[in-house]
Amino acid sequence: MRVSLKWLRDYVDISLPTEEVACRLTSSVMEVGGIEHVGGQWQNIVVGEVVALAPHPNADRLRLVSIDLGGEQITVVSGAPNLEVGAKVPFARVGARLIDGKSGQPFQLEAAVIRGVRSEGMACSQKELGISDTHQGTMILPPEAPVGTPLAQLLGDTILDLEVPPNRPDCLSLIGVAREVAALTQQTLRLPSADYRESGPATDQLVSVEVAAPELCPRYCAALITGVTVAPSPHWLEERLIACGMRPINNIVDVTNYVLLEYGQPLHAFDFDRIRGRSIIVRRARDGEIMTTLDGVERNLGSDVLVIADAQGAVALAGVMGGTDSEMTAQTTSVLLESANFDRVSIRGTSAKLRLRSESSLRFEKGLSPELTLPALRRAAQLVTELAGGEAAAGIVDVYPGKEAREPILLSAAHVRRLLGMELDIERLEEVLTSLGFDCRAADTPSELWCTAPYWRGDINLVADLVEEIARIIGYDSIPTTMPSGALPQRELDTGLALGEKVRDILVGCGLQEIITYSLTSLEMLSRVIAPSGHPGPAALRVANPMTAEQEYLRTTLRPASWPLSASIRGMSWVASGFLRSAR
């Protein structure tokens, strides 16, 4: 997962150097696979403002663009169709290192004569800056961007490439990573506001939600916003999505992706006017049911696939991808926001069956908490009303058939001493666990705590899990080295293993070489083995999905795979057989 440090600072103060933050994350929870400094290569690139446009005297599709660089004005030749007077653009001076928009290769900008007019510099697209693959026009910066400011100072960022372990889906989010950084650096976590104004009829009066497969959908929440305007997202939102590897689409879809990255909870936006019957039904697909997903592929479903349906048919693959029947368009004015929780095994099966993986399915497959749906939905509704206008209907539809209470775990200082070999007072244990979001309360004795894991930590079930949390936050390097307190178990000799080692040594001494062969072979290769008379051997088992014709069957003997050595093996077989007879 790509994490923008500029974005991460919205939730936690980071005073340590980037390398130190990466080191602490790697040693405690997840490996930082790489650090990318965005904008480090933007030398001689500044913010400019277009002050005049004039036609090129010798070319119909080119224009002369006068750009103010802050106390200096320069005129260059440009073919970008989206330039307007007053627009703020990234301007590269001669000598800047850029990416060629056509070939994708880096080059150094030089002065050039274009159709008889000398041009010393250029207004850059996102692709030329290496931000994304967008090359349709010049990149337009926010209106408040200060003219003359180095672009690296305005848009520069540091990206951490995190390798999140499978048991920590909460870290597939900016807030999850910020929570870890806050605990490791003794900082305070700041959560974004999710307040928005509600008006009009209640949501449950405008749309009905039925969960017909509660075993596969523990919780389904929905919010309705009417009167929205679908348009491009503001620059700051697009910038953050691009930094984390996502492509901006429009303000509604971008909000769902933004909250996905922020909270780790997948969401989906339906065009409410295209939901037939004003009803949402979470059910298993019918055998032979067909729907077209957003990637334009028509998919044949079955009863093992969970779908989101309206009164007439499936409109989305639950937890994987939406359908074209209810997607956002420029004409959309009413949006139904979905935030739900789905069974991880069901989502994994759907993705495998349809060979369709998405950012949503990636998170659901690892197991998300049903408690995450509501705060993520409220945040998305707040952003939609802020960026797309409209009014949010009163309340949220919340169908929660799979609610379960989390049991507290009793932790004592003795547990920590036994597992870590170090003394920590109960106040320190409470401080560490509280920083990670655990609910701690006093037990009957002063050296014990009742600890309840937060909803986002589904991997915490045992006392040993709590001790592990304490160890990684205080630092594994701070755990003292101690001698084992108990007796070491006696080693039990495996006679079969010892015999195998002796046989291997003798065969090597006789000039043989040990080989490791494929477990898969072909019928043609098996047929080359001449079985002893009356002993045809077992039938070969065929693989259901063979990669090649030469690896289609499980081998029934070692001889086909080691055919060139068969003569030597037969010649030396008496050595092994004689040794085994003597061993008996």
Side-chain angles (χ1 to χ4, degrees), residues 287-454:
D287 288 331
E289 189 169 9
I290 296 175
M291 70 164 289
T292 302
T293 47
L294 289 174
D295 56 0
V297 178
E298 187 176 82
R299 303 187 183 274
N300 192 354
L301 313 178
S303 60
D304 55 343
V305 174
L306 186 68
V307 299
I308 311 300
D310 60 14
Q312 297 185 24
V315 294
L317 297 176
V320 180
M321 185 175 288
T324 56
D325 288 346
S326 58
E327 67 176 321
M328 293 293 106
T329 67
Q331 290 73 42
T332 299
T333 58
S334 297
V335 175
L336 184 69
L337 289 175
E338 166 196 283
S339 180
N341 185 265
F342 303 110
D343 176 70
R344 68 169 83 181
V345 177
S346 171
I347 301 303
R348 188 181 302 117
T350 298
S351 293
K353 175 181 178 178
L354 302 179
R355 297 183 180 180
L356 180 63
R357 290 181 63 83
S358 64
E359 289 290 336
S360 296
S361 65
L362 171 69
R363 287 162 172 79
F364 280 125
E365 287 175 10
K366 290 176 170 54
L368 297 177
S369 170
E371 294 296 318
L372 185 59
T373 58
L374 193 57
L377 180 60
R378 294 197 64 85
R379 172 63 166 162
Q382 180 255 326
L383 287 172
V384 169
T385 55
E386 175 185 330
L387 303 179
E391 295 183 354
I396 286 175
V397 177
D398 187 0
V399 181
Y400 199 171
K403 189 169 186 176
E404 296 180 357
R406 301 211 66 176
E407 295 296 329
I409 303 172
L410 184 62
L411 174 69
S412 68
H415 288 135
V416 178
R417 181 171 58 252
R418 180 175 63 85
L419 294 175
L420 299 185
M422 63 187 303
E423 294 285 348
L424 290 173
D425 56 52
I426 202 70
E427 289 77 14
R428 176 58 175 154
L429 303 182
E430 183 177 4
E431 177 187 351
V432 171
L433 293 175
T434 301
S435 70
L436 291 170
F438 287 75
D439 180 23
C440 301
R441 55 184 176 85
D444 295 336
T445 61
S447 62
E448 294 180 326
L449 278 177
W450 283 108
C451 304
T452 304

Side-chain angles (χ1 to χ4, degrees), residues 44-364:
N44 296 324
I45 304 177
V46 299
V47 177
E49 181 178 2
V50 178
V51 294
L53 293 170
H56 192 289
N58 304 316
D60 294 336
R61 296 186 178 182
L62 299 178
R63 291 186 292 178
L64 303 182
V65 184
S66 298
I67 299 179
D68 178 20
L69 303 178
E72 176 188 3
Q73 185 171 311
I74 189 169
T75 299
V76 296
V77 178
S78 175
N82 62 330
L83 289 178
E84 298 178 353
V85 174
K88 301 288 183 66
V89 297
F91 181 83
R93 299 177 183 271
V94 172
R97 298 288 298 179
L98 301 172
I99 304 296
D100 186 85
K102 295 181 179 180
S103 67
Q105 299 299 314
F107 73 98
Q108 185 168 346
L109 184 63
E110 299 178 353
V113 177
I114 303 176
R115 293 292 184 92
V117 177
R118 185 174 178 82
S119 181
E120 297 184 358
M122 66 181 297
C124 305
S125 67
Q126 291 187 6
K127 185 172 183 178
E128 289 162 343
L129 294 171
I131 296 176
S132 74
D133 291 332
T134 302
H135 189 56
Q136 284 73 25
T138 297
M139 181 179 182
I140 304 300
L141 299 176
E144 63 273 12
V147 175
T149 302
L151 189 67
Q153 181 178 326
L154 180 68
L155 300 182
D157 197 357
T158 299
I159 307 297
L160 300 182
D161 187 3
L162 304 181
E163 299 178 9
V164 180
N167 66 322
R168 293 299 305 273
D170 59 298
C171 289
L172 288 170
S173 66
L174 269 295
I175 290 178
V177 175
R179 187 177 286 112
E180 293 295 323
V181 172
L184 291 169
T185 59
Q186 291 80 52
Q187 297 292 332
T188 301
L189 179 71
R190 298 184 296 270
L191 293 178
S193 171
D195 296 331
Y196 60 93
R197 189 174 65 87
E198 303 176 15
S199 61
T203 304
D204 56 8
Q205 296 178 2
L206 301 173
V207 59
S208 66
V209 174
E210 176 190 354
V211 178
E215 72 280 6
L216 302 181
C217 179
R219 191 175 192 182
Y220 192 98
C221 300
L224 179 62
I225 304 172
T226 59
V228 302
T229 300
V230 178
S233 297
H235 176 79
W236 65 266
L237 180 54
E238 291 185 343
E239 178 188 348
R240 291 186 171 186
L241 292 179
I242 292 171
C244 293
M246 285 193 171
R247 178 175 60 89
I249 299 175
N250 59 55
N251 50 2
I252 306 297
V253 176
D254 291 350
V255 162
T256 62
N257 287 332
Y258 184 90
V259 177
L260 166 75
L261 294 171
E262 186 177 50
Y263 277 84
Q265 169 66 40
L267 301 102
H268 187 67
F270 296 101
D271 185 332
F272 184 61
D273 292 330
R274 300 171 70 182
I275 297 295
R276 295 158 294 194
R278 297 293 189 264
S279 63
I280 290 291
I281 306 169
V282 185
R283 59 168 174 82
R284 294 177 181 270
R286 304 183 183 95
D287 288 331
E289 189 169 9
I290 296 175
M291 70 164 289
T292 302
T293 47
L294 289 174
D295 56 0
V297 178
E298 187 176 82
R299 303 187 183 274
N300 192 354
L301 313 178
S303 60
D304 55 343
V305 174
L306 186 68
V307 299
I308 311 300
D310 60 14
Q312 297 185 24
V315 294
L317 297 176
V320 180
M321 185 175 288
T324 56
D325 288 346
S326 58
E327 67 176 321
M328 293 293 106
T329 67
Q331 290 73 42
T332 299
T333 58
S334 297
V335 175
L336 184 69
L337 289 175
E338 166 196 283
S339 180
N341 185 265
F342 303 110
D343 176 70
R344 68 169 83 181
V345 177
S346 171
I347 301 303
R348 188 181 302 117
T350 298
S351 293
K353 175 181 178 178
L354 302 179
R355 297 183 180 180
L356 180 63
R357 290 181 63 83
S358 64
E359 289 290 336
S360 296
S361 65
L362 171 69
R363 287 162 172 79
F364 280 125

Side-chain angles (χ1 to χ4, degrees), residues 503-562:
V503 172
R504 180 180 287 105
D505 292 342
I506 291 175
L507 293 177
V508 169
C510 293
L512 294 180
Q513 292 182 340
E514 183 178 9
I515 62 172
I516 299 175
T517 57
Y518 286 114
S519 299
L520 300 175
T521 186
S522 64
L523 281 182
E524 189 275 334
M525 183 64 76
L526 286 172
S527 67
R528 296 171 62 183
V529 178
I530 302 175
S533 177
H535 298 280
L541 181 64
R542 186 181 185 276
V543 179
N545 55 340
M547 300 293 290
T548 66
E550 290 75 24
Q551 296 179 354
E552 197 172 3
Y553 291 85
L554 289 173
R555 65 186 181 187
T556 58
T557 173
L558 294 178
R559 294 183 68 189
S562 54

